[in-house]
Amino acid sequence: EFFRELLENAERSLNDMFVRTYGMLYMQNSEVFQDLFTELKRYYTGGNVNLEEMLNDFWARLLERMFQLINPQYHFSEDYLECVSKYTDQLKPFGDVPRKLKVQVTRAFIAARTFVQGLTVGREVANRVSKVSPTPGCIRALMKMLYCPYCRGLPTVKPCNNYCLNVMKGCLANQADLDTEWNLFIDAMLLVAERLEGPFNIESVMDPIDVKISEAIMNMQENSMQVSAKVFQGCGQPKPAPALRSSRSVPENFNTRFRPYNPEERPTTAAGTSLDRLVTDIKEKLKLSKKFWSTLPYTICKDERVTAGPSVEEECWNGHTKARYLPEIMSDGLTNQINNPEVDVDITRPDTFIRQQIMALRVMTNKLKNAYNGNDVNFQDTSDETSGSGSGSGCTDDICPTEFDFVTTEAPPVDSDRREVEASATQPGWSQTLLVVFLSLVLQRQWR
């Protein structure tokens, strides 16, 4: 929203300034500038736009229009004007402004668009993972942890913290495997955030763009005689224009007065803030989300509504009775659940949907690294990538699974203690939604 309003403010500022400065001449040629902002908006919203080619085309078109205005005594054909545009790089009629602006705009827009795309991917990965259905083995373990105290006459006794951790590590084994790629993704997001704070951030580039383009126009006006002479030499002598048109003089075409640029001016947006403050706030939230998936079981199990807490080791439900929980806590990830005492996990069958989200993060991380290095990223040309990240991410209905697709990774129960809850565990109910609800709440709070 901020970036969209920033572009709109920049376009409005340029239009107001150029109407005051050049009057009817600008209004007659305003589509050249309107097309520039249209393409910038299209690029930012995910359009397949080559920024460098688009900017080159803008300056070439502006040169054609300007060349006609500074030489009103001649008539120029389309072929002649095409020849004129070929001299843009050689003659540098607008001075060094096009080169500097190209560097600034491309770096700023690549960083801004990729950063926003990264936020979208991160949010949607979190939302999708939060809705993955728990496996039958996980449901059985949850039922035993939450309901069996009632069956044993211990309705007020809550599960032991370590007991809960083993259950959650088994239930979230596949989610924990997101952690490595997620951390790399967050690191890449923080790197690109540096670009939004540096000298090429989109706010500092777009805020004075009207003045920079006006300076380029003034530069061409000052060098109009030299530019025209070299063009005539290379493209040939143009035909004279009708007498009515040739009566117009160059000074009447331009008004060199334009408002001075104040670098302290900032755009007024709905957010009522500047890019610096927004980026600072986002960076802090990104840092807090590192190692999110590996710490998720701890986040859930420290909730006093779920467990007795880590300080209560003797007066808690250990899965059999009210006593200390003795088994060791499992490590994170799918492969480490092979000996999980609470949840039967088939480590040979990774969850396909979770693996797709890992791939989505990996693809986005590579794009963020490219953006950090100033390389453009084409979000539309990603048909071979499975990301599930929304607009421009390469996710199609044929490739991306639905939010509720999942692969069961549990083996049939073999433990006698699990048999006593098997019948109820096979029926969907409150325990099945508990894990999904916890995940949704925690993820939404963390990634808001």
Side-chain angles (χ1 to χ4, degrees):
E1 181 69 19
F2 178 87
F3 291 137
R4 182 185 61 78
E5 291 191 34
L6 186 63
L7 288 175
E8 291 177 354
N9 286 338
E11 182 177 14
R12 186 162 49 248
S13 176
L14 183 143
N15 183 71
D16 293 344
M17 172 184 170
F18 276 36
V19 167
R20 293 197 309 269
T21 304
Y22 306 111
M24 187 59 66
L25 288 175
Y26 166 71
M27 297 173 68
Q28 292 171 344
N29 298 277
S30 61
E31 75 275 5
V32 176
F33 304 92
Q34 291 171 357
D35 289 346
L36 170 65
F37 283 95
T38 297
E39 288 300 287
L40 288 175
K41 291 175 185 177
R42 192 163 74 88
Y43 173 87
Y44 173 73
T45 55
N48 191 5
V49 178
N50 186 308
L51 284 177
E52 291 194 8
E53 290 182 3
M54 183 270 292
L55 291 170
N56 289 339
D57 182 63
F58 165 74
W59 291 111
R61 291 179 64 193
L62 185 59
L63 174 60
E64 292 179 8
R65 301 295 180 93
M66 290 281 298
F67 194 76
Q68 294 177 81
L69 292 174
I70 63 178
N71 294 285
Q73 67 273 30
Y74 296 108
H75 171 72
F76 300 101
S77 65
E78 291 296 325
D79 291 340
Y80 196 97
L81 290 176
E82 185 175 346
C83 179
V84 171
S85 65
K86 294 178 181 178
Y87 281 82
T88 306
D89 292 334
Q90 179 181 341
L91 299 178
K92 294 188 176 2
F94 300 109
D96 206 29
V97 173
R99 183 191 65 81
K100 290 182 178 179
L101 201 60
K102 182 190 295 185
V103 172
Q104 294 170 345
V105 168
T106 53
R107 290 188 181 182
F109 273 76
I110 288 170
R113 184 175 82 161
T114 311
F115 187 78
V116 172
Q117 186 75 12
L119 290 175
T120 301
V121 169
R123 182 186 69 242
E124 294 195 3
V125 165
N127 286 339
R128 286 172 177 270
V129 172
S130 73
K131 296 171 183 175
V132 172
S133 298
T135 60
C138 173
I139 296 173
R140 286 190 293 271
L142 285 172
M143 290 284 288
K144 179 181 177 182
M145 182 178 76
L146 298 171
Y147 290 149
C148 283
Y150 293 87
C151 303
R152 297 295 177 86
L154 303 170
T156 61
V157 179
K158 293 182 179 180
C160 299
N161 183 74
N162 290 351
Y163 174 35
C164 174
L165 286 176
N166 274 343
V167 171
M168 288 303 166
K169 289 198 176 196
C171 286
L172 302 174
N174 282 279
Q175 285 86 339
D177 284 346
L178 280 163
D179 209 53
T180 299
E181 202 62 50
W182 178 268
N183 293 338
L184 293 173
F185 163 72
I186 295 299
D187 288 337
M189 287 287 290
L190 291 171
L191 281 176
V192 176
E194 293 179 6
R195 293 288 186 249
L196 299 180
E197 296 177 312
F200 296 113
N201 78 74
I202 193 171
E203 188 174 40
S204 64
V205 169
M206 293 306 298
D207 197 19
I209 196 171
D210 52 351
V211 176
K212 293 177 181 179
I213 294 177
S214 186
E215 288 174 355
I217 293 174
M218 294 298 109
N219 189 79
M220 181 169 178
Q221 183 187 1
E222 293 172 0
N223 298 285
S224 59
M225 294 184 64
Q226 298 94 314
V227 171
S228 297
K230 290 183 179 180
V231 169
F232 293 160
Q233 183 180 358
C235 298
Q237 190 69 22
K239 296 179 180 180
L244 180 62
R245 185 176 180 183
S246 63
S247 64
R248 291 162 52 190
S249 61
V250 173
E252 292 175 334
N253 289 334
F254 292 97
N255 179 350
T256 59
R257 293 170 303 174
F258 57 93
R259 66 177 181 84
Y261 169 60
N262 181 1
E264 296 302 319
E265 293 180 359
R266 306 301 257 181
T268 302
T269 65
T273 186
S274 70
L275 181 62
D276 295 337
R277 290 193 291 273
L278 286 175
V279 173
T280 299
D281 181 58
I282 292 173
K283 283 175 63 178
E284 289 304 311
K285 292 182 177 179
L286 287 172
K287 291 175 182 177
L288 291 174
S289 69
K290 284 200 70 174
K291 298 184 178 179
F292 173 78
W293 301 101
S294 60
T295 59
L296 190 54
Y298 297 88
T299 303
I300 293 175
C301 292
K302 74 178 180 181
D303 193 317
E304 61 182 11
R305 295 171 297 178
V306 181
T307 69
S311 61
V312 182
E313 297 183 356
E314 302 291 344
E315 303 293 318
C316 57
W317 171 251
N318 66 5
H320 302 280
T321 185
K322 184 172 71 172
R324 178 187 293 268
Y325 182 74
L326 299 177
E328 64 175 330
I329 301 175
M330 297 293 99
S331 298
D332 304 316
L334 181 63
T335 58
N336 290 315
Q337 305 310 310
I338 187 170
N339 293 318
N340 191 307
E342 308 306 332
V343 185
D344 290 310
V345 181
D346 185 353
I347 66 171
T348 66
R349 299 179 62 191
D351 190 295
T352 303
F353 184 80
I354 298 294
R355 291 309 182 269
Q356 289 174 337
Q357 306 313 307
I358 291 174
M359 180 57 67
L361 292 172
R362 187 170 300 156
V363 169
M364 193 65 238
T365 299
N366 289 333
K367 291 176 179 178
L368 288 164
K369 290 178 179 178
N370 283 329
Y372 177 76
N373 294 323
N375 300 322
D376 205 350
V377 180
N378 186 348
F379 288 109
Q380 299 299 317
D381 188 21
T382 53
S383 58
D384 60 334
E385 297 164 356
T386 303
S387 68
S389 59
S391 176
S393 66
C395 177
T396 65
D397 292 337
D398 295 333
I399 297 176
C400 293
T402 63
E403 290 182 340
F404 295 98
D405 286 345
F406 71 100
V407 175
T408 301
T409 61
E410 293 297 328
V414 295
D415 187 270
S416 57
D417 288 326
R418 289 178 174 83
R419 291 196 189 97
E420 64 183 77
V421 295
E422 181 177 352
S424 58
T426 56
Q427 300 296 324
W430 183 81
S431 64
Q432 182 171 359
T433 62
L434 178 68
L435 182 61
V436 177
V437 170
F438 277 154
L439 276 173
S440 298
L441 291 175
V442 175
L443 286 167
Q444 290 171 10
R445 182 170 63 248
Q446 188 76 21
W447 196 245
R448 187 172 299 163

